[in-house]
Amino acid sequence: MSLYDEGHTIAGWTGFGIATVGSAVVGAGVCTASLPVVVAGLAVVAVSVVVTWVLHLAGWGKPPGVRPRGRWGMRVRDAQARDGHPGCVSCRLAGRGRRAAAPAGVVGTPAATEPVPLSPAE
């Protein structure tokens, strides 16, 4: 059995459902050769991406990687979503999960300003 439970969340299934409807509308637009219907279907697919992202940020998604088996339930809300998940692109796009900003007036730490050798010989 796999240790991953990718997509078994409210955010995942809601996004999938909306995207399926949008894909059906695009297909209907292609079959009827109607550009406005195709554009409307693509707009619905774009909405599915935004809805999934918002639900993930609200805690109804899951962080990337392995989750304990007890947290695999569909209705289990992620309490860490507010702080951001490490390695999560969605959280990074929302500005979450980054290190605390430096105080005003501080350009960088001494370790950050030291030159980094390009090869082991340097």
Side-chain angles (χ1 to χ4, degrees):
M1 173 163 270
S2 174
L3 295 175
Y4 294 91
D5 62 327
E6 296 291 331
H8 299 287
T9 63
I10 298 292
W13 282 109
T14 302
F16 167 76
I18 296 171
T20 301
V21 170
S23 297
V25 172
V26 169
V30 169
C31 289
T32 61
S34 174
L35 184 61
V37 175
V38 170
V39 170
L42 292 174
V44 171
V45 170
V47 166
S48 76
V49 172
V50 173
V51 166
T52 304
W53 185 40
V54 169
L55 285 172
H56 171 79
L57 295 175
W60 292 110
K62 73 176 263 332
V66 179
R67 240 185 350 178
R69 187 135 177 100
R71 308 257 326 138
W72 281 20
M74 201 94 155
R75 293 185 178 101
V76 175
R77 195 166 183 182
D78 184 15
Q80 296 175 346
R82 184 162 285 246
D83 299 328
H85 303 113
C88 178
V89 175
S90 295
C91 292
R92 295 284 295 182
L93 287 172
R96 297 179 180 181
R98 297 183 181 178
R99 286 186 236 146
V106 177
V107 175
T109 61
T113 58
E114 294 175 7
V116 177
L118 298 176
S119 66
E122 292 181 4

